[in-house]
Amino acid sequence: MPATKISSNKHTALHIGVRAAIADVETAILPELQALTNASNVTKWDGYDFGVEASETDEDRVLTDAATAATRGYENFGGSIAFFPPLPGEVGTPERAVRSLVSTPHTELVLTQRDGYAASAAWAPGQVYNAFHVITDANSEQRGDKNRFYTIDFRPKGAVGINRIVPSLTPTAVAITGPAAVGVGESIQLRAAYEGNDITVGAVWVSSDESIAVVTPHGKVIGIADGEVEITATYPGSAAGTAHEITVSA
């Protein structure tokens, strides 16, 4: 998806739930997201240090590897988040709900970050978010000049879904647009949209016959030989859509 500058002023949301709340962190469905607890109003902004980092480089080579060979390690994410505590005896509040979720060490949770929409806004199809499978670690109580707060460390435990799109209750298909013909040895650019988002970079592109035309991960179709071919694009959670037919000619 194209890079877009998004204001964080009242437009960053943090939602938390037990790990079992979402069956697949990478392809959450709308009811699962709606069941999460919105922790935005109890999260301390200057105590929010959580997100994705570059994975570490693994240089543990074998005898058959080149001298400069290196691979990337596992996905690297996590950090710490500070929350405001509930008042003594307070029940049924967001502060109490969040405290109950995060305060026990070694608890597996799902955290979602959503930017670009009002923090209080309900989940809706087409929204873009990140999801993380984490486990709670250290818990520290702190007192500021004017308030009290507690900080939880979150460590990576499993999968992470970056720039995921909330699907509709009834799955919708990816829509493909672009030219319908290409010459042999030439290329054309197709575009894909899903739930109102441009997913040209991010969709899974497939050619029905790569001896006639191939399609790159970015939707560029390259003509190989005379004939007709169908190009499809899918996205996690999408329904099967109509193929885009392309004629290749010399």
Side-chain angles (χ1 to χ4, degrees):
M1 287 173 282
T4 303
K5 185 175 181 179
I6 299 174
S7 172
S8 62
N9 185 23
K10 297 182 180 181
H11 286 73
T12 293
L14 172 69
H15 292 76
I16 304 175
V18 296
R19 174 61 188 91
I22 294 181
D24 186 341
V25 172
E26 297 185 72
T27 57
I29 60 176
L30 184 57
E32 293 175 331
L33 294 168
Q34 291 171 330
L36 300 178
T37 296
N38 190 339
S40 309
N41 201 41
V42 302
T43 301
K44 195 172 186 291
W45 183 248
D46 59 0
Y48 192 90
D49 185 19
F50 180 93
V52 180
E53 300 176 358
S55 58
E56 297 179 357
T57 300
D58 183 0
E59 297 184 355
D60 193 10
R61 296 183 291 272
V62 298
L63 293 178
T64 54
D65 284 335
T68 57
T71 58
R72 304 303 298 185
Y74 292 109
E75 295 155 321
N76 193 11
F77 60 91
S80 61
I81 303 176
F83 303 98
F84 293 110
L87 296 174
E90 193 173 48
V91 296
T93 63
E95 289 84 356
R96 179 61 64 187
V98 171
R99 182 85 171 204
S100 298
L101 283 167
V102 306
S103 61
T104 303
H106 312 302
T107 299
E108 292 189 40
L109 300 171
V110 172
L111 270 60
T112 65
Q113 293 176 328
R114 189 187 65 189
D115 296 310
Y117 318 93
S120 60
W123 287 100
Q127 293 177 349
V128 181
Y129 68 98
N130 301 329
F132 308 90
H133 177 191
V134 299
I135 188 168
T136 57
D137 196 3
N139 179 344
S140 62
E141 301 283 341
Q142 296 160 302
R143 184 186 294 273
D145 293 337
K146 298 180 180 179
N147 54 53
R148 297 180 60 183
F149 58 94
Y150 62 100
T151 301
I152 304 293
D153 288 340
F154 297 95
R155 305 298 182 192
K157 179 60 179 177
V160 55
I162 302 299
N163 288 335
R164 290 318 200 196
I165 298 172
V166 181
S168 295
L169 284 173
T170 300
T172 59
V174 174
I176 302 174
T177 56
V182 64
V184 173
E186 299 179 349
S187 65
I188 55 174
Q189 179 66 55
L190 301 182
R191 305 202 69 82
Y194 174 64
E195 294 288 3
N197 295 277
D198 185 337
I199 59 164
T200 302
V201 178
V204 177
W205 295 91
V206 176
S207 168
S208 63
D209 191 340
E210 293 193 340
S211 68
I212 297 175
V214 296
V215 59
T216 72
H218 295 171
K220 179 179 288 187
V221 178
I222 303 170
I224 304 297
D226 286 2
E228 294 185 348
V229 67
E230 293 184 341
I231 303 297
T232 57
T234 57
Y235 188 85
S238 68
T242 303
H244 189 83
E245 297 183 356
I246 292 178
T247 300
V248 182
S249 57

